[in-house]
Amino acid sequence: MFCFQCQETAKNVACTTRGVCGKTETTANLQDLLIYVCKGISIYASRLEKLDREIGRFLCRALFTTLTNVGWDDEIIIERIKEGLRLRDSLKGKLKSPLTDLPDCATWSADKKEDIKEKASSFEVRINSIPDEDVRSLKSLITFGIKGISAYAEHAANLGYESDEIYNFIVEGLASLTKELKEEELFSLVVKTGEIAVKTIALLDEANTKTFGHPEFTEVKTKVGSNPGILITGHDLKDLYELLEQTQGENIDVYTHGEMLPAHFYPAFKKFKNLIGNYGGSWPAQNDEFESFNGPILATTNCLIPLRKENTYLSRLFTLGPVSYPGAIHIPDREDGKPKDFTKIIEVAKRCSPPKPLEDKKIYGGFGHNQILSFADRILDLLKSGDIKRFVVMAGCDGRHKTREYFTEVAKILPKDTVILTAGCAKFRYNTLPLGDIKGIPRVIDAGQCNDSYSLAYVALKLKELLGFSDLDSLPISFDIAWYEQKAVSVLLALLYLGFKGIRLGPTLPAFISPRVGKMIVERFDLKPISSAEEDVKAMLSCV
C-alpha cells in the first residue's frame, strides 16, 4: 500500500504497511483501484454530449467511500468496483465514435473477486506510480480536493440539490489526471478545484438551510436521560431527520455525536422531543464513548474508526451510505423516494440499557452566516470601539495526536478581546472552555460542521464589504486551521481560491506536498505551518 492522504500519515511521509488510521493494505489497495476505475469512467463520460447525473452521483459516492475513516468493508468496496466497471463499459456504447490510445484504467475489466484483488495490489493503480514527485504532488492535491468536493456534493444531492457544473468538473478533473499535463496546467487545475469547492460548499449550505432552516443560537445539553438511546454520528442531516421521525413515540432517545452536534442548531430539528442532546466529543474518542453509550450507534458518514479488540459494540453498530465496517449492519439506501428503514436499529435500541453518563455540560452554537450577520451592527461597533481586536478562524478537524493540544492552548492564551470562529470537529478541543463573551458576543462562535465552512468564508467576505476594505488582507481576521482528511483539503483550496492568504495550517503540512510544490504554494498564498501556540498567537495579534 501507499497512502499519504491524511494528516496522521506515518512519519509525515506515507503509510506503506498499515494505515495509522487502521486501514489494512488490502483495503487501501481496493480503494486505490476504485479511484482508478472512476478515472476510467471519467474518460468516457467526458466525451458525452451531456453528462447523466447518475454518473456524477456514482462518482461522488465512490470517491466518498475512499475518504479516511469511511469505507472499511472490503466486500462492499469490491461490489462498488464491479458497479463502476459496469457503468464504465455501458458508456462505451453511448459514444458516437470509439476512443483509441486509452489508458489501462479505461480498458481493464474483471468480475471475479480474486482478479479484482490481484489488480488492486498492482503498482500501476497507486498514486506513487507517478515518478515525478512534483507532478505526483499536484495530482494528489487535485485528487484529494475532488474527494472532498464529492463528499460535500453527496450530502447536497441527498437533499435534492445537485449541480451539473460540479459533476462535470469531477469528470473532467479525474479524466485530466490520466494525462501528461504541464506543471502550470496542473496548477491551474488546482485553482479550478478550489473554485468548484467554493461552489460545492455554497450548494450544500443552500441545501441545508432551505431544507432545515438557518441555524440559530442554541444551547445543547449533554446530560443523559433514562430511556434507551440511539447515538448518531457523522454528517448527514437527512439521515438524522428520518431517524427522528421513525423513533417518535417509541420511548427511545436520540443523541448526536461528533459532527452531528450542529443538527441541534437547525429549526427543523427543534420540534423533535426525542432529540435529547449530545453525547461525547469528536471521533478520536469514539471507542470509549460508543462502548459506554450501551445502545446502537448509527454511522452516517466519516469518521468511523476501527474497534478495539475488547470493544463489544459491533453487534449494535449500523452504517449508512458510503460508510461500511465488517460485521456491522448496513442499512440500505433510499428507494423510490421513500425514507431509509430504521426498523432494525429501533428494535436493537429497545433491548438496550440507557447510556452511561459522560458529562453534564452545556454546549453553545448555531452561528451560521445568517445568525452572525443578524448582529453585524453590534460586531462592527465592537470592532470600532476596540472591544474586539481580532477574529481567529480556528476551524477544521480533530485528530488523535497529542500535537492537537496546540489548538486548546491557542484558545486559552488568546486575549479576551479576540473571538474564535469555528466549524468542524476541531471545536471539541475548546468549545467547553470558560472563555466568556465580549459584551454579549460569545468568544467561541460555532458555525457548525466542517460542512458549514462556507459560513465562515461568507462572513469574512461580508465583513470586508461592511468595513469598506479594498482587500481581504486588511481584515482583522487570522486563520489557524486544523486539518485531517480530504474534505479539509477541499476547504483549504476553497479559501485559497477566494483570496485568503497567510493561513496557518497544522499540526503538519500535508505529506503529499513536495518541497517544490510547497514553495510554490507558500509564494502564491503565504501558507504557513503552525509553530508553538505562544509564537503563533503573538504573530496573529501582530498581523503577521
Side-chain angles (χ1 to χ4, degrees):
M1 69 179 287
F2 182 91
C3 186
F4 58 2
Q5 67 178 4
C6 84
Q7 188 275 321
E8 293 184 354
T9 293
K11 299 179 181 179
N12 206 40
V13 176
C15 296
T16 55
T17 55
R18 185 181 180 88
V20 173
C21 65
K23 185 167 55 177
T24 66
E25 182 178 39
T26 300
T27 303
N29 292 340
L30 285 170
Q31 290 183 356
D32 285 344
L33 181 57
L34 182 54
I35 297 168
Y36 191 73
V37 170
C38 287
K39 291 177 181 177
I41 292 170
S42 296
I43 288 172
Y44 292 103
S46 64
R47 303 299 182 92
L48 297 174
E49 291 184 2
K50 184 178 181 181
L51 184 69
D52 188 330
R53 283 188 170 181
E54 285 299 324
I55 299 170
R57 292 180 195 126
F58 174 82
L59 291 174
C60 287
R61 174 63 63 88
L63 293 174
F64 202 161
T65 301
T66 70
L67 261 70
T68 305
N69 291 344
V70 177
W72 296 100
D73 193 323
D74 294 348
E75 298 300 318
I76 289 179
I77 299 171
I78 288 171
E79 288 305 311
R80 200 146 286 159
I81 290 169
K82 290 180 179 179
E83 183 184 352
L85 290 172
R86 290 193 295 270
L87 175 60
R88 185 201 66 188
D89 292 343
S90 73
L91 296 178
K92 295 179 184 179
K94 295 183 179 182
L95 300 181
K96 291 183 178 181
S97 58
L99 301 181
T100 58
D101 299 323
L102 291 168
D104 182 67
C105 63
T107 58
W108 167 81
S109 194
D111 54 11
K112 293 182 179 179
K113 183 193 303 184
E114 295 76 16
D115 294 336
I116 290 173
K117 285 188 173 181
E118 182 180 353
K119 183 66 174 180
S121 65
S122 65
F123 179 64
E124 64 189 331
V125 305
R126 301 183 199 167
I127 204 154
N128 64 321
S129 64
I130 302 171
D132 186 301
E133 72 166 349
D134 296 327
V135 172
R136 180 169 68 243
S137 179
L138 288 167
K139 286 193 172 184
S140 297
L141 187 54
I142 295 160
T143 300
F144 303 149
I146 290 175
K147 281 191 181 192
I149 288 169
S150 297
Y152 291 132
E154 158 121 340
H155 285 300
N158 287 342
L159 295 173
Y161 288 76
E162 297 179 88
S163 163
D164 291 330
E165 182 182 10
I166 293 169
Y167 288 153
N168 281 319
F169 169 75
I170 292 171
V171 166
E172 292 294 340
L174 291 174
S176 295
L177 292 171
T178 68
K179 303 173 184 177
E180 293 186 10
L181 300 178
K182 295 178 180 178
E183 192 172 89
E184 274 307 311
E185 290 177 307
L186 285 168
F187 212 94
S188 294
L189 192 52
V190 169
V191 174
K192 182 69 175 179
T193 305
E195 178 187 358
I196 298 300
V198 172
K199 293 181 178 181
T200 308
I201 56 178
L203 179 68
L204 179 54
D205 177 80
E206 179 185 8
N208 284 336
T209 55
K210 286 189 175 178
T211 305
F212 304 114
H214 283 281
E216 304 167 340
F217 174 70
T218 305
E219 175 188 288
V220 183
K221 298 178 181 178
T222 60
K223 186 176 182 180
V224 300
S226 57
N227 290 329
I230 295 174
L231 185 63
I232 184 167
T233 191
H235 304 75
D236 200 285
L237 297 177
K238 186 172 183 178
D239 288 335
L240 172 59
Y241 193 88
E242 291 178 352
L243 176 67
L244 289 168
E245 286 187 314
Q246 293 176 43
T247 50
Q248 287 187 106
E250 297 285 351
N251 294 319
I252 294 171
D253 295 339
V254 176
Y255 298 81
T256 56
H257 176 271
E259 286 273 57
M260 201 61 84
L261 163 68
H264 294 272
F265 309 156
Y266 288 90
F269 290 96
K270 296 181 185 297
K271 68 180 181 182
F272 291 106
K273 303 301 181 185
N274 48 330
L275 180 59
I276 298 301
N278 189 73
Y279 189 89
S282 61
W283 62 270
Q286 68 182 236
N287 272 163
D288 294 327
E289 293 169 355
F290 289 1
E291 188 73 26
S292 66
F293 184 73
N294 291 330
I297 298 100
L298 183 60
T300 66
T301 56
N302 55 327
C303 297
L304 177 66
I305 63 175
L307 279 69
R308 293 194 297 251
K309 289 183 179 179
E310 64 270 22
N311 286 134
T312 61
Y313 61 81
L314 182 58
S315 62
R316 47 189 174 88
L317 178 62
F318 292 75
T319 59
L320 295 170
V323 192
S324 64
Y325 196 85
I329 301 169
H330 193 78
I331 294 175
D333 290 337
R334 300 174 185 89
E335 291 185 4
D336 302 323
K338 296 178 181 178
K340 292 179 181 177
D341 185 356
F342 293 112
T343 302
K344 288 184 179 179
I345 194 170
I346 291 171
E347 290 173 351
V348 171
K350 289 179 177 179
R351 300 194 296 266
C352 294
S353 304
K356 293 180 182 178
L358 282 183
E359 56 187 357
D360 185 5
K361 296 180 179 179
K362 294 175 182 177
I363 303 173
Y364 301 94
F367 295 99
H369 55 84
N370 195 64
Q371 180 74 91
I372 295 175
L373 294 177
S374 69
F375 48 81
D377 290 343
R378 291 173 60 196
I379 292 175
L380 293 176
D381 288 342
L382 292 171
L383 282 168
K384 292 173 182 176
S385 66
D387 290 291
I388 295 178
K389 290 285 199 316
R390 198 156 195 84
F391 293 96
V392 177
V393 178
M394 212 150 63
C397 315
D398 199 5
R400 286 170 280 227
H401 288 183
K402 189 177 177 63
T403 50
R404 302 257 170 189
E405 293 176 4
Y406 160 92
F407 297 99
T408 308
E409 291 305 309
V410 169
K412 287 180 177 178
I413 65 178
L414 278 170
K416 294 184 178 180
D417 54 11
T418 57
V419 174
I420 296 170
L421 302 175
T422 190
C425 60
K427 63 173 164 276
F428 286 103
R429 290 281 171 173
Y430 46 79
N431 67 340
T432 57
L433 294 176
L435 298 179
D437 63 85
I438 301 175
K439 294 187 176 180
I441 302 296
R443 288 197 56 229
V444 176
I445 292 181
D446 179 11
Q449 300 178 341
C450 65
N451 294 19
D452 301 309
S453 299
Y454 175 76
S455 276
L456 301 182
Y458 183 91
V459 167
L461 293 169
K462 196 66 179 177
L463 279 176
K464 170 180 167 290
E465 177 187 327
L466 293 173
L467 291 167
F469 291 147
S470 58
D471 56 67
L472 290 169
D473 291 340
S474 303
L475 279 173
I477 295 179
S478 298
F479 286 79
D480 199 16
I481 305 294
W483 84 281
Y484 175 73
E485 44 83 271
Q486 298 78 67
K487 288 193 288 183
V489 174
S490 64
V491 172
L492 175 64
L493 293 178
L495 291 173
L496 297 180
Y497 172 77
L498 288 171
F500 292 100
K501 294 184 178 181
I503 295 173
R504 284 178 171 78
L505 187 68
T508 57
L509 292 182
F512 54 82
I513 300 295
S514 68
R516 186 164 170 273
V517 170
K519 184 179 179 182
M520 291 168 62
I521 293 173
V522 167
E523 288 175 352
R524 296 194 188 199
F525 303 108
D526 192 26
L527 189 69
K528 310 171 190 286
I530 65 168
S531 55
S532 71
E534 292 79 7
E535 290 174 358
D536 286 347
V537 167
K538 183 179 179 180
M540 286 187 285
L541 296 178
S542 301
C543 306
V544 177

